[in-house]
Amino acid sequence: METKIIKINENKIDPDRIRAAAEVIKGGGLVAFPTETVYGLGASALDGDAAAKIYAAKGRPSDNPLIVHIAAKENIEKYARNISDTARKLIDAFMPGPFTIILEKKDIIPDTVTAGMNTVGLRCPINAVANALIKTAAVAIAAPSANISGKPSPTEGRHVIHDMKGRIDCIIDGGSCEVGVESTIVDATGEIPVLLRPGGITVGMLRSICPELEIDKNVSVPLNENEHPKCPGMKYKHYSPDAEVIVVEGSKDNVTAKIKELLAADMSITSGVITIYGANYDNAVMIDGGKDNREYAKNLFAALRSFDDLRVKRIFAEFHDGDEFALAVKNRLYRAAGYNILHVGN
Ligand code: TXA
Ligand code: MG
């Protein structure tokens, strides 16, 4: 399949280019588009056949539901029912933005989109390209992250081109994503809202609106075998580059000493390090993770993909807990590493 690549500048949106992409959505095709979190792979959320093509293009398991993207928070009423007062407060506080709310779904959403679940994840992106695309298509857009299933989510147009060129109708290249990790997901179907996936809207921000918010335990620890997660995506391998990832977590001195020791122990493997402490490693490719976990979140997926491009076989990821974005970074990093974590002390 020939994939049309359309460049759109978020700060100077060309309506003709948006219209061309919106026509593809209206015609039942697939369009990858930028959002403030990661790139999405979109199809009309009201067209089950179009949504089915998303699973095929990504190689996504058919029991993993898609998030439905809307142009304005008021549109939530069209797709969800039994919206509690707490859910409404969260919606008012965090939409538009990097936030997804799980609610009971209305029948208008086809089962293919929600993988047969009776709930739906709704998100209203703040990214101007995403918003213009949804508005111009005049329909909600179902979209998972635009990567091949299991790979790091795409945060730049070239990542999507790498994974999806030849598999989908159209890719909008809108530059790099601001947040860099996927949206915060809150399940608001029960009495007490539960955080299912951490992201740019932090626990502190959520609890300022909803102090009783709970955090699902699988946000930071792996699922047990045979356990059914609330968020089906939790049970699948995630964010994995071709290289092996090892998280080294702790203070500057302990982390750098440990990585130096491990590098020296086996010099035959091409190694990379995501650095946060500014240390210098001989015999390793280094990529800067950033000065804090907000920057780390923005850089992480691009770093994992760059190491694959450089044929790195083993990645040490420096990590330090302790700021409000740590939970979002940790959640991705631990999964990317298959929970291979060295705690070396603070
Ligand atoms: O930031 C984001 O959320 C990006 C952009 C494109 O919007 N999208 C994204 O989609 O990350 P995806 O499919 O890669 O991750 C969605 C996660 C999956 O783990 C899925 O299982 C979960 O959300 N999910 C979707 N609908 C759900 C539902 N009704 N109940 C529970 N979990 C749901
Ligand atoms: Mg994904």
Side-chain angles (χ1 to χ4, degrees), residues 150-153 237-249 259 262-263 269-275 285 287 296 299-309 311-319 329-343:
K151 292 284 150 198
S153 298
K237 187 174 159 210
H238 254 102
Y239 317 123
S240 307
D242 298 334
E244 174 192 13
V245 180
I246 302 138
V247 179
V248 188
E249 180 171 344
I259 294 175
L262 292 168
L263 284 170
I269 309 174
T270 312
S271 300
V273 185
I274 306 181
T275 59
V285 184
I287 295 181
Y296 205 150
N299 296 331
L300 174 62
F301 291 142
L304 296 177
R305 283 178 177 262
S306 296
F307 282 129
D308 277 351
D309 294 343
R311 306 262 183 271
V312 161
K313 295 285 175 263
R314 176 174 69 163
I315 302 165
F316 295 108
E318 297 184 351
F319 177 65
V329 172
K330 183 155 112 173
N331 173 274
R332 292 3 182 246
L333 214 44
Y334 281 14
R335 274 158 218 259
Y339 294 90
N340 186 357
I341 307 151
L342 301 174
H343 294 275

Side-chain angles (χ1 to χ4, degrees), residues 32-33 35 37-42 54 58 60 64-67 69 142-155 160 163-164 182 197 238-239 301 305:
F33 61 98
T35 82
T37 57
V38 303
Y39 275 76
L41 175 54
I54 293 178
K58 277 187 62 111
R60 182 177 178 97
N64 195 3
L66 311 176
I67 291 174
H69 298 69
S145 50
N147 50 283
I148 295 288
S149 231
K151 292 284 150 198
S153 298
T155 54
V160 184
D163 281 17
M164 290 297 158
E182 306 84 346
R197 182 175 71 183
H238 254 102
Y239 317 123
F301 291 142
R305 283 178 177 262

Side-chain angles (χ1 to χ4, degrees), residues 28-146:
L30 302 189
V31 177
F33 61 98
T35 82
E36 67 275 21
T37 57
V38 303
Y39 275 76
L41 175 54
S44 164
L46 301 185
D47 179 343
D49 294 337
K53 293 183 199 166
I54 293 178
Y55 292 86
K58 277 187 62 111
R60 182 177 178 97
S62 60
D63 65 349
N64 195 3
L66 311 176
I67 291 174
V68 172
H69 298 69
I70 53 181
K73 59 181 150 194
E74 291 71 28
N75 298 349
I76 281 198
E77 310 283 343
K78 284 195 213 164
Y79 306 110
R81 65 171 99 248
N82 289 333
I83 308 170
S84 68
D85 289 346
T86 313
R88 282 184 201 279
K89 278 193 211 154
L90 291 168
I91 290 163
D92 278 341
F94 303 119
M95 286 191 185
F99 175 70
T100 295
I101 192 154
I102 310 285
L103 294 166
E104 237 177 85
K105 90 172 182 84
K106 284 190 174 166
D107 293 342
I108 184 173
I109 310 251
D111 284 341
T112 325
V113 168
T114 58
M117 293 178 79
N118 60 3
T119 56
V120 61
L122 289 158
R123 163 155 140 72
C124 179
I126 200 165
N127 176 286
V129 176
N131 184 267
L133 178 68
I134 304 164
K135 257 192 202 141
T136 310
V139 67
I141 296 183
S145 50

